[in-house]
Amino acid sequence: MKNIYISLFALLAFSTTASAQSADDLLNMVAEKPKKEYATATFKTTRLINFHTVEVLSRRSLDFRIARRCGDFKSGAYNAWGIDGGANIRLALEYCHGSRLMFGIGRTSGKKIADGFLKYRVLKQTTKGGGMPISLTLFTSVYHTFMQNVIIDGVNKYQSIPDRLSYCHQIMVARKFSPRFSLQLTGAMVHVNLVEKITDKNDCFVLGAVTRFKFAKRQAITLEYAHRLNKYSKDKYYDSFGIGYDLETGGHVFQMHLTNSFGLTEDQYFMYTNTSWENWGIRLGFNISRVFSLQGKHKGE
């Protein structure tokens, strides 16, 4: 009988040890599961040159932006190759409260356009602990021109508010392939309520690409190109193409570039770029972005 008790006690001790070891193994497996890490700075700002990128502002951040496009190089030395005049300027304020939804408003001197947009990050590329190979962002915007007395064939073009409106919707997919190289593809549709001519179409479909190559700690070369997929006008327009240089200077990002687009809003540079690189319709331009962090230091944050 004594031997039976000893055997039962040994069996119970072995079972308890085995169970404890199994529990420890499970806890170790859970502990060893890698934490998700996300790709950062696929692009340094929410814009490349003209085009939007997949980036949104960080939590509770306000971005004040200035963009300027000079006249084209064809104006020659007398006009300092476009620097002296004929500039297009846009001022904008953009804000993100969380980490996904961003919105902004702006005013552009060319065509006297006021615009507003929403931008939502749907997916963010993971580099560890997840299986998401891309970032995906959606974008929608509306534009209103305040131009007056635009007479075409004896008729005032803008007789009602809907006549002054146009829209753009975009899907942006990007991947950061390395710390130095990022690539994005963009699908866009622009709709104009009132076109220039009765023979023009109201919709333009665009496939674009943007890329960034970082060659130093705070410097990068950027490229953007938009190919218009449908013929919407009998007038001669061109695909938007730009080459840029990014310089990070503390809280500012300074972007200098060459582009054939004079417009600073999507309804203009996607549809109505009327000069080309081939005929020296190139413009010097720059963007300045200053981001302010509005995160409060409250209890529980």
Side-chain angles (χ1 to χ4, degrees), residues 56-64 93-99 101-103 290-295:
V56 300
L57 295 172
S58 57
R59 185 172 180 262
R60 295 189 185 179
S61 292
L62 178 70
D63 188 9
F64 175 59
L93 282 174
E94 302 173 1
Y95 179 72
C96 184
H97 185 75
S99 60
L101 181 63
M102 170 183 166
F103 63 89
R290 180 63 171 97
V291 178
F292 301 89
S293 177
L294 305 181
Q295 293 196 42

Short mmCIF file of all heavy atoms in Angstrom, two decimals, residues 56-64 93-99 101-103 290-295:
data_model
loop_
_atom_site.label_atom_id
_atom_site.label_comp_id
_atom_site.label_asym_id
_atom_site.label_seq_id
_atom_site.Cartn_x
_atom_site.Cartn_y
_atom_site.Cartn_z
N VAL A 56 0.28 61.11 -44.16
CA VAL A 56 -0.57 62.06 -43.46
C VAL A 56 0.23 62.63 -42.30
O VAL A 56 1.26 62.07 -41.91
CB VAL A 56 -1.89 61.43 -42.97
CG1 VAL A 56 -2.69 60.87 -44.11
CG2 VAL A 56 -1.61 60.34 -41.93
N LEU A 57 -0.21 63.74 -41.76
CA LEU A 57 0.49 64.34 -40.63
C LEU A 57 0.41 63.44 -39.41
O LEU A 57 -0.48 62.60 -39.29
CB LEU A 57 -0.12 65.71 -40.31
CG LEU A 57 0.03 66.79 -41.38
CD1 LEU A 57 -0.78 68.01 -41.00
CD2 LEU A 57 1.50 67.15 -41.58
N SER A 58 1.33 63.62 -38.50
CA SER A 58 1.29 62.87 -37.25
C SER A 58 0.18 63.40 -36.35
O SER A 58 -0.43 64.43 -36.63
CB SER A 58 2.64 62.95 -36.54
OG SER A 58 2.99 64.30 -36.30
N ARG A 59 -0.05 62.71 -35.26
CA ARG A 59 -1.16 63.01 -34.36
C ARG A 59 -1.11 64.45 -33.84
O ARG A 59 -0.09 64.91 -33.37
CB ARG A 59 -1.13 62.02 -33.20
CG ARG A 59 -2.29 62.11 -32.22
CD ARG A 59 -2.22 60.94 -31.26
NE ARG A 59 -3.31 60.97 -30.30
CZ ARG A 59 -3.20 61.45 -29.07
NH1 ARG A 59 -2.03 61.94 -28.68
NH2 ARG A 59 -4.22 61.44 -28.25
N ARG A 60 -2.25 65.14 -33.96
CA ARG A 60 -2.40 66.52 -33.49
C ARG A 60 -1.31 67.43 -34.03
O ARG A 60 -0.61 68.12 -33.28
CB ARG A 60 -2.44 66.57 -31.96
CG ARG A 60 -3.67 65.87 -31.37
CD ARG A 60 -3.78 66.12 -29.89
NE ARG A 60 -4.89 65.36 -29.31
CZ ARG A 60 -5.22 65.38 -28.03
NH1 ARG A 60 -4.51 66.11 -27.18
NH2 ARG A 60 -6.23 64.67 -27.58
N SER A 61 -1.17 67.44 -35.34
CA SER A 61 -0.17 68.28 -35.99
C SER A 61 -0.83 69.22 -36.98
O SER A 61 -1.79 68.85 -37.67
CB SER A 61 0.87 67.43 -36.73
OG SER A 61 1.65 66.70 -35.80
N LEU A 62 -0.31 70.44 -37.06
CA LEU A 62 -0.79 71.47 -37.97
C LEU A 62 0.34 71.84 -38.90
O LEU A 62 1.45 72.17 -38.47
CB LEU A 62 -1.26 72.70 -37.19
CG LEU A 62 -1.74 73.89 -38.02
CD1 LEU A 62 -3.06 73.56 -38.70
CD2 LEU A 62 -1.88 75.14 -37.13
N ASP A 63 0.06 71.81 -40.21
CA ASP A 63 1.07 72.09 -41.23
C ASP A 63 0.70 73.39 -41.96
O ASP A 63 -0.40 73.50 -42.53
CB ASP A 63 1.13 70.93 -42.23
CG ASP A 63 2.30 71.07 -43.20
OD1 ASP A 63 3.14 71.97 -43.01
OD2 ASP A 63 2.35 70.26 -44.16
N PHE A 64 1.59 74.36 -41.92
CA PHE A 64 1.43 75.58 -42.71
C PHE A 64 2.32 75.47 -43.93
O PHE A 64 3.54 75.28 -43.82
CB PHE A 64 1.81 76.82 -41.90
CG PHE A 64 1.78 78.09 -42.70
CD1 PHE A 64 0.62 78.51 -43.32
CD2 PHE A 64 2.93 78.86 -42.84
CE1 PHE A 64 0.59 79.68 -44.07
CE2 PHE A 64 2.91 80.03 -43.58
CZ PHE A 64 1.74 80.44 -44.20
N LEU A 93 -3.39 75.56 -44.85
CA LEU A 93 -3.32 75.03 -43.49
C LEU A 93 -3.90 73.62 -43.52
O LEU A 93 -5.00 73.41 -44.05
CB LEU A 93 -4.12 75.90 -42.52
CG LEU A 93 -3.47 77.20 -42.04
CD1 LEU A 93 -4.47 77.99 -41.21
CD2 LEU A 93 -2.21 76.92 -41.24
N GLU A 94 -3.16 72.68 -42.93
CA GLU A 94 -3.60 71.28 -42.94
C GLU A 94 -3.42 70.69 -41.54
O GLU A 94 -2.46 71.01 -40.84
CB GLU A 94 -2.79 70.50 -43.98
CG GLU A 94 -2.93 71.11 -45.37
CD GLU A 94 -2.03 70.51 -46.42
OE1 GLU A 94 -1.26 69.58 -46.11
OE2 GLU A 94 -2.09 70.99 -47.57
N TYR A 95 -4.36 69.81 -41.15
CA TYR A 95 -4.38 69.33 -39.77
C TYR A 95 -4.75 67.85 -39.72
O TYR A 95 -5.56 67.36 -40.51
CB TYR A 95 -5.39 70.13 -38.94
CG TYR A 95 -5.49 69.69 -37.50
CD1 TYR A 95 -4.47 69.95 -36.60
CD2 TYR A 95 -6.61 68.99 -37.04
CE1 TYR A 95 -4.55 69.55 -35.27
CE2 TYR A 95 -6.70 68.58 -35.72
CZ TYR A 95 -5.66 68.86 -34.84
OH TYR A 95 -5.74 68.45 -33.53
N CYS A 96 -4.15 67.15 -38.75
CA CYS A 96 -4.48 65.76 -38.48
C CYS A 96 -4.61 65.59 -36.97
O CYS A 96 -3.69 65.90 -36.22
CB CYS A 96 -3.39 64.83 -39.02
SG CYS A 96 -3.76 63.06 -38.85
N HIS A 97 -5.79 65.13 -36.51
CA HIS A 97 -6.03 64.98 -35.07
C HIS A 97 -5.56 63.61 -34.56
O HIS A 97 -4.97 63.50 -33.50
CB HIS A 97 -7.50 65.17 -34.75
CG HIS A 97 -7.79 65.15 -33.28
ND1 HIS A 97 -7.49 66.21 -32.45
CD2 HIS A 97 -8.32 64.18 -32.47
CE1 HIS A 97 -7.84 65.91 -31.21
NE2 HIS A 97 -8.34 64.69 -31.19
N GLY A 98 -5.87 62.57 -35.34
CA GLY A 98 -5.44 61.23 -34.96
C GLY A 98 -4.20 60.84 -35.73
O GLY A 98 -3.25 61.60 -35.84
N SER A 99 -4.22 59.65 -36.30
CA SER A 99 -3.08 59.22 -37.10
C SER A 99 -3.50 58.74 -38.48
O SER A 99 -2.66 58.23 -39.22
CB SER A 99 -2.35 58.09 -36.37
OG SER A 99 -3.23 56.98 -36.17
N LEU A 101 -6.84 60.29 -40.34
CA LEU A 101 -7.65 61.26 -41.09
C LEU A 101 -7.02 62.64 -41.02
O LEU A 101 -6.78 63.17 -39.94
CB LEU A 101 -9.08 61.30 -40.55
CG LEU A 101 -10.03 62.27 -41.27
CD1 LEU A 101 -10.21 61.86 -42.73
CD2 LEU A 101 -11.37 62.33 -40.54
N MET A 102 -6.83 63.22 -42.19
CA MET A 102 -6.22 64.55 -42.30
C MET A 102 -7.11 65.40 -43.19
O MET A 102 -7.75 64.91 -44.12
CB MET A 102 -4.82 64.39 -42.90
CG MET A 102 -4.12 65.65 -43.31
SD MET A 102 -2.52 65.23 -44.07
CE MET A 102 -2.13 66.80 -44.82
N PHE A 103 -7.16 66.70 -42.92
CA PHE A 103 -7.92 67.61 -43.79
C PHE A 103 -7.17 68.92 -43.92
O PHE A 103 -6.29 69.25 -43.12
CB PHE A 103 -9.33 67.83 -43.25
CG PHE A 103 -9.40 68.51 -41.91
CD1 PHE A 103 -9.44 69.90 -41.80
CD2 PHE A 103 -9.40 67.75 -40.74
CE1 PHE A 103 -9.49 70.51 -40.56
CE2 PHE A 103 -9.46 68.36 -39.50
CZ PHE A 103 -9.50 69.74 -39.40
N ARG A 290 6.00 73.88 -42.73
CA ARG A 290 6.35 74.05 -41.31
C ARG A 290 5.27 73.37 -40.47
O ARG A 290 4.11 73.78 -40.47
CB ARG A 290 6.44 75.53 -40.95
CG ARG A 290 6.80 75.77 -39.47
CD ARG A 290 8.17 75.21 -39.15
NE ARG A 290 8.64 75.58 -37.83
CZ ARG A 290 8.55 74.81 -36.74
NH1 ARG A 290 7.95 73.63 -36.82
NH2 ARG A 290 9.04 75.21 -35.60
N VAL A 291 5.64 72.31 -39.77
CA VAL A 291 4.70 71.52 -39.00
C VAL A 291 4.80 71.90 -37.52
O VAL A 291 5.90 71.95 -36.95
CB VAL A 291 4.96 70.01 -39.17
CG1 VAL A 291 4.00 69.20 -38.32
CG2 VAL A 291 4.82 69.61 -40.64
N PHE A 292 3.64 72.16 -36.90
CA PHE A 292 3.56 72.49 -35.49
C PHE A 292 2.87 71.34 -34.75
O PHE A 292 1.79 70.89 -35.16
CB PHE A 292 2.75 73.77 -35.26
CG PHE A 292 3.32 74.96 -35.97
CD1 PHE A 292 2.93 75.26 -37.27
CD2 PHE A 292 4.24 75.79 -35.35
CE1 PHE A 292 3.45 76.36 -37.94
CE2 PHE A 292 4.77 76.88 -36.00
CZ PHE A 292 4.38 77.18 -37.29
N SER A 293 3.47 70.87 -33.68
CA SER A 293 2.87 69.81 -32.87
C SER A 293 1.96 70.46 -31.83
O SER A 293 2.38 71.33 -31.06
CB SER A 293 3.94 68.99 -32.18
OG SER A 293 3.36 68.01 -31.35
N LEU A 294 0.68 70.00 -31.80
CA LEU A 294 -0.30 70.55 -30.87
C LEU A 294 -0.67 69.56 -29.78
O LEU A 294 -1.71 69.70 -29.14
CB LEU A 294 -1.56 70.98 -31.63
CG LEU A 294 -1.34 71.97 -32.78
CD1 LEU A 294 -2.68 72.31 -33.43
CD2 LEU A 294 -0.65 73.22 -32.31
N GLN A 295 0.14 68.57 -29.57
CA GLN A 295 -0.15 67.55 -28.56
C GLN A 295 -0.03 68.16 -27.17
O GLN A 295 1.00 68.75 -26.82
CB GLN A 295 0.80 66.37 -28.68
CG GLN A 295 0.60 65.58 -29.97
CD GLN A 295 1.25 64.21 -29.89
OE1 GLN A 295 1.16 63.56 -28.87
NE2 GLN A 295 1.89 63.79 -30.95
#
